[in-house]
Amino acid sequence: MTAANPTQKASAQSEATGRFVRHATLRQLQLLEAIVRLGSFTRAAEEMFLTQPTVSMQIKKLTDTVGTPLFLHVGRNVEPTDAGREVYSACRTILSTLTDLEIKLADLKGLKSGRFRLGVITTAKYFAPEILGAFCEQFPGIDVSLKVTNRTRIIERMDANDDDLYIFGEPGGAGLDVEATYLAPNPLIVLARNDHPLARETGITMERLAWERFLLREPGSGIRDSVVRRFAERGLRPNVRMELGSNEAIKHAIIAGLGISVLSLHTLTLDGGAGRLVMLDVEGFPIERTWYLVHPKARDLSTIAKAFLAFSVDREPEIRASLDRTYKILRNTPAPERDRGHASEPSGR
């Protein structure tokens, strides 16, 4: 067998590179990056607002272009092959370069036009859209997008530089080197239905509260972690009856009489619990948490992102005033008359 000379090798490499450049698309690279990061075709499809068949078809086309499998199925998840990891590494470089280019182009345009992407954890959705809406009114030429998801996904998006800024609490626990700017308070309060046995009690102890059936967010939730930590400080643990995936589901479950919960006061700023929820007077509560505007230190903020950060910080008094109004509504929500002889009986373990 005759070995290929250097000219033939260079020609083959050029042909392979040319084939990739001609046939691979930016959308396919974005999908591959999302699949590797999320470990799932389904989750990547949800994040990219595409159907799973569309994602599968695009990855098949990319696989045909590369000429070797890019993923292996491992149980319900997928893992990249060696070739998949190489393409993923190149994707990260390409997408990062395009992001930097987008920032530089936006800076050249100033605040007249451009794109701004904000990622927020679920609980921040109760006030973030108002800030974003007011920002758009002041700068109508800017195209904005808002991604609302749980804390784990937001950290993943930050690691991948998917957005310009992020709103969430406890940035030190993100495991990333980030820059955090104080935005607003985020108090966590104990909520019950207005006819709950503890609704008329004051100075409720943590030991007494531990007997109640708790409704909590899923593992990994920042609120859940704070609640479990507060109980652990007293050598206690909450009596978890049910885990629910959203704040709205928890509020409905409280009203249905399934238990009590700890939620951010922000979750009630729009309706104040509609008169069906009361804030319990529990020692050690509210848990005082804080919202931050966060971005990776290694990423330079665009002119638009810097403007949004300053704009948001200036609205802190409005956010605080909204919380104060909600506090007053909850404190003034009357509890129905009941037999005081049963007021302190626990609802059971």
Side-chain angles (χ1 to χ4, degrees), residues 57 84-85 90 121 129 143 159 172 178 184 209 238 240 258 285 294 316 318 325 344:
M57 179 184 67
R85 281 189 284 271
I121 65 169
D143 180 25
D159 189 39
V178 299
L209 200 67
V240 181
L258 294 175
F285 283 86
V294 183
E316 191 271 352
E318 296 180 30
R325 288 192 295 270
S344 61

Side-chain angles (χ1 to χ4, degrees), residues 136-185:
C136 288
E137 287 182 6
Q138 186 166 337
F139 304 104
I142 296 174
D143 180 25
V144 302
S145 66
L146 175 64
K147 178 66 177 180
V148 180
T149 185
N150 62 35
R151 180 181 173 83
T152 300
R153 291 280 191 92
I154 285 296
I155 293 174
E156 290 172 351
R157 292 181 67 84
M158 188 185 306
D159 189 39
N161 279 322
D162 287 339
D163 309 283
D164 298 294
L165 283 171
Y166 304 86
I167 297 177
F168 67 98
E170 300 185 358
L176 302 173
D177 190 15
V178 299
E179 186 78 29
T181 302
Y182 168 79
L183 175 60

